[in-house]
């Protein structure tokens, strides 16, 4: 991985991982309420976790994505500007 990308890549992956976990929590909450005749899905712990996490992820994702895109662009520029070794005489 190019220098400078590891941290921002990990940050973006972390936000996406949290989003996946939040979706699973929502699914679990809906499943829990499906088998309960007096339950409403929005009252389940799974759905409440999804709702709370979703708000945070919505705030964090744009910054993480922008940081990653910026680091990728910097790595690309750095690679394009790298000096090539001398051409060997063969």
């Amino acid at each position: 991985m190019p220098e400078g990308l590891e941290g921002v890549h990990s940050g973006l992956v972390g936000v996406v991982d949290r989003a996946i976990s939040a979706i699973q929590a929502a699914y679990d909450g809906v499943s829990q309420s499906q088998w309960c005749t007096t339950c409403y899905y929005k009252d389940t712990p799974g759905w409440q976790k999804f709702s709370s996490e979703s708000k945070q992820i919505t705030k964090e994702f744009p910054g993480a994505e922008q940081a990653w895109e910026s680091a990728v662009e910097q790595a690309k520029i750095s690679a394009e500007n790298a000096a090539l070794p001398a051409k060997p005489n063969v």
Side-chain angles (χ1 to χ4, degrees):
M1 181 173 297
E3 187 178 320
L5 242 99
E6 189 172 322
V8 293
H9 180 77
S10 294
L12 183 60
V13 168
V15 173
V16 172
D17 281 346
R18 284 181 51 215
I20 292 167
S21 293
I23 293 294
Q24 183 62 53
Y27 176 82
D28 293 344
V30 170
S31 292
Q32 291 163 354
S33 71
Q34 198 171 26
W35 306 112
C36 176
T37 57
T38 61
C39 301
Y40 184 55
Y41 74 96
K42 287 187 177 182
D43 295 331
T44 64
W47 189 268
Q48 290 174 358
K49 178 181 178 186
F50 163 74
S51 183
S52 152
E53 281 287 294
S54 182
K55 290 174 186 169
Q56 280 301 114
I57 291 164
T58 299
K59 291 177 186 174
E60 293 174 18
F61 182 78
E65 181 183 35
Q66 180 58 40
W68 182 83
E69 287 177 356
S70 181
V72 167
E73 188 60 32
Q74 286 299 110
K76 181 179 172 186
I77 290 169
S78 179
E80 289 171 348
N81 292 335
L84 296 175
K87 185 175 179 179
N89 293 326
V90 281

